[in-house]
Amino acid sequence: MIFVARYGGMACAGTLALALVLVPGVAEAGPAAPGPPESPSRGSVSPFASAAVPAGGPPQEAAGESRSQRSLAALQAAVRKERSRLRAAWKQRARKAVAFAHAQRGRPYVWGGTGEYGFDCSGLVQQAWRHAGVLIPRVSYSQYEHIPTKVSRSKLRSGDLVFFNRMGHVGIYVGQGRFVHAPRTGRPITIEELQGRYARNYSGAVRPGWTPLPPLQ
């Protein structure tokens, strides 16, 4: 079927007439020249609007979460630094205590002695830690009772006090399964292996001068 339109007294048939009939609103002068696509008006909604990031930045919730994460990371870093500082400070004191005890090897056992003529077992460890700047009780029972940080045998560190015979005897652990002590009358201050009868009579250990570490968040 052919549609016919009249224009200026002349009849024309074909595609142009069909376009004019089927596409209302098209100017009779023909199609407009191609150009860049128009920007959407303010009232229009872009099909990509839901995926767009607002011009003002991320949502408030995301920004708040990011700040919280940074604050937590900074706090954790500060806690780790303080824990390292406390460990290093204790190790430095422990080295001084152990060095003092080592230096007394060969000196005589003297009951009640704290250094002038010799040492007994608790006098030796008291003076060793006093040399490191830490005051502890005089006798072995009080040393174990009043030094709060108790240590399992598997966690011993150089500088810890090790006790025997139900806290009746004490020495200073020096690492590698050994300790230095004032054994008894007739035997000078010496280093022993933590084995044999000492292992059988082992009663516990404490850590003088230890500051509890702040917990990690």
Side-chain angles (χ1 to χ4, degrees), residues 21-42:
V21 172
L22 297 180
V23 186
V26 177
E28 291 182 357
E38 294 184 0
S39 299
S41 64
R42 293 185 179 181

Side-chain angles (χ1 to χ4, degrees), residues 32 39 46 49 53 55 63 80 114 153 159 161-162 181 183 205 210 217:
S39 299
S46 167
V53 176
R80 284 193 293 268
T114 56
R153 185 170 173 179
L161 305 188
V162 287
H181 70 145
W210 177 257
Q217 299 298 316

Side-chain angles (χ1 to χ4, degrees), residues 8-154:
M10 296 180 64
C12 59
T15 305
L16 179 59
L18 181 61
L20 292 174
V21 172
L22 297 180
V23 186
V26 177
E28 291 182 357
E38 294 184 0
S39 299
S41 64
R42 293 185 179 181
S44 63
V45 178
S46 167
F48 303 103
S50 61
V53 176
Q60 274 190 333
E61 293 82 356
E65 183 179 352
S66 179
R67 284 193 295 270
S68 297
Q69 289 173 344
R70 288 195 297 270
S71 297
L72 179 59
L75 176 61
Q76 289 174 336
V79 170
R80 284 193 293 268
K81 183 177 180 180
E82 179 64 6
R83 287 168 65 94
S84 296
R85 186 191 71 79
L86 291 173
R87 286 195 190 99
W90 185 85
K91 286 180 180 179
Q92 184 176 11
R93 292 191 293 268
R95 281 194 293 269
K96 289 182 179 180
V98 169
F100 179 91
H102 268 294
Q104 311 313 309
R105 286 181 299 169
R107 297 194 65 190
Y109 177 95
V110 175
W111 187 86
T114 56
E116 185 177 1
Y117 302 107
F119 296 90
D120 64 7
C121 64
S122 56
L124 174 64
V125 301
Q126 183 198 42
Q127 293 303 311
W129 271 100
R130 184 176 183 178
H131 182 76
V134 178
L135 299 180
I136 64 175
R138 171 65 182 86
V139 299
S140 60
Y141 299 100
S142 296
Q143 288 168 351
Y144 186 83
E145 181 180 356
H146 293 291
I147 295 174
T149 304
K150 306 300 188 276
V151 184
S152 67
R153 185 170 173 179
S154 62

